[in-house]
Amino acid sequence: MKKGKKIYEGKAKIIYATSDKNLVIQYFKDDATAFNNQKKSTIEGKGVLNNRISEHILSNLSQIGIKNHLIKRINMREQLVKLVEIIPIEFVVRNIATGSLTKRLGIEDGTVLENPLVEYCLKNDKLGDPIISREHILTFNWLNVVQLDWIDNNLKRLNDFLQGMFRGVGIKLVDFKVEFGLTNESGKTEIILADEISPDTCRLWDTITDKKLDKDRFRKDLGDLIPAYSDVAKRLGILHEQSNVSAVNITKLSSVKKKRK
Ligand code: TMP
Ligand code: ASP
């Protein structure tokens, strides 16, 4: 597949055209941003780990029938994915209260929610990704009621699957954000999961110690982001247990998958 020109650059990824008009290449950068781009840094190796972790999760989701844009990982930083028109809404699912929810509503950090809480945010950096209601989505025709109900159902399935997958490797899925896109194959419009699912877009706490294994290590200046993301990759069986993780080593990771016992 021939890599064409850059068609979009976001905060953590770049999208390139390919010789097939329906497929694009998604490149994972090492850039980290938080608080709507107010805090920025480059963390060597982050893109490589997110590429691998997101590939692992999205290919597992395909196997349970949750359609997504991933075709295949091409190399350490790139994936071949379906071209989609991203729906301008960030879908957040929360199992434990933390982050903006606690700040916005004064809920105590760490409160376990009785049921998963879904929140919608408008994907608009200039407006700071404001939280919106179901009624906003329907009023402004960002989605119709059938599409929104379909996504809500899939968010529940997604949360159940991801919670189970992480629980099995000693990690609590605190919350996550996903994006969906519209594809148009042979005249039929379909909604599929797009973007990435990685420690950049999930909050992941160790089950026993509550140690943060996600981008909060950057947001909160906790340090050791690469060891934390590597720990997630190792537990998921993507990285060898004995891998001595450094930025240099990450770029040399073997593609051998090892099943965690
Ligand atoms: P929040 O508590 O900051 O609203 O974040 C909720 C979840 O969404 C958390 O897992 C981090 C993720 N997230 C993103 O992936 N991108 C974003 O731009 C924001 C604000 C949150
Ligand atoms: N990705 C978002 C930003 O840059 C926010 C976040 O993940 O906290 O600004």
Side-chain angles (χ1 to χ4, degrees), residues 67-125:
K67 289 191 182 173
N68 61 71
H69 71 161
L70 180 71
I71 305 288
K72 63 171 184 180
R73 184 171 61 82
I74 306 171
N75 57 42
M76 298 313 288
R77 287 193 180 271
E78 293 175 323
Q79 301 177 345
L80 187 63
V81 300
K82 286 187 186 174
L83 174 67
V84 298
E85 185 195 327
I86 289 284
I87 295 165
I89 296 167
E90 300 194 340
F91 298 86
V92 174
V93 182
R94 302 179 184 273
N95 297 306
I96 299 176
T98 193
S100 70
L101 175 66
T102 55
K103 290 196 196 106
R104 215 184 315 123
L105 302 179
I107 309 292
E108 196 185 336
D109 197 283
T111 305
V112 177
L113 305 174
E114 217 165 285
N115 287 299
L117 173 68
V118 173
E119 290 178 338
Y120 313 104
C121 297
L122 184 65
K123 196 173 150 64
N124 184 322
D125 283 344

Side-chain angles (χ1 to χ4, degrees), residues 141-170:
N141 286 316
W142 290 318
L143 290 170
N144 65 39
V145 72
V146 175
Q147 293 170 321
L148 186 51
D149 286 346
W150 184 90
I151 289 182
D152 280 346
N153 277 331
N154 273 275
L155 290 174
K156 288 200 185 80
R157 281 186 72 204
L158 196 54
N159 187 47
D160 286 346
F161 175 81
L162 294 176
Q163 257 192 321
M165 184 189 76
F166 282 118
R167 193 183 296 126
V169 296

Side-chain angles (χ1 to χ4, degrees), residues 124-136:
N124 184 322
D125 283 344
K126 276 195 202 135
L127 301 177
D129 296 344
I131 188 160
I132 51 174
S133 71
R134 181 179 170 88
E135 282 67 30
H136 287 110

Side-chain angles (χ1 to χ4, degrees), residues 179-193:
E179 296 179 23
F180 291 86
L182 299 167
T183 55
N184 197 322
E185 276 171 45
S186 42
K188 195 174 146 249
T189 303
E190 203 177 22
I191 298 177
I192 60 171
L193 185 69

Side-chain angles (χ1 to χ4, degrees), residues 11-12 32-40 90 125 129 177 200-201 203 215-216 218-219:
K11 293 192 285 269
T33 66
F35 314 116
N36 201 17
N37 229 353
Q38 287 174 46
K39 181 173 171 147
K40 288 187 210 180
E90 300 194 340
D125 283 344
D129 296 344
K177 181 269 305 185
D200 265 16
T201 61
R203 284 201 178 90
K215 203 168 108 179
D216 269 357
F218 168 72
R219 295 189 188 95

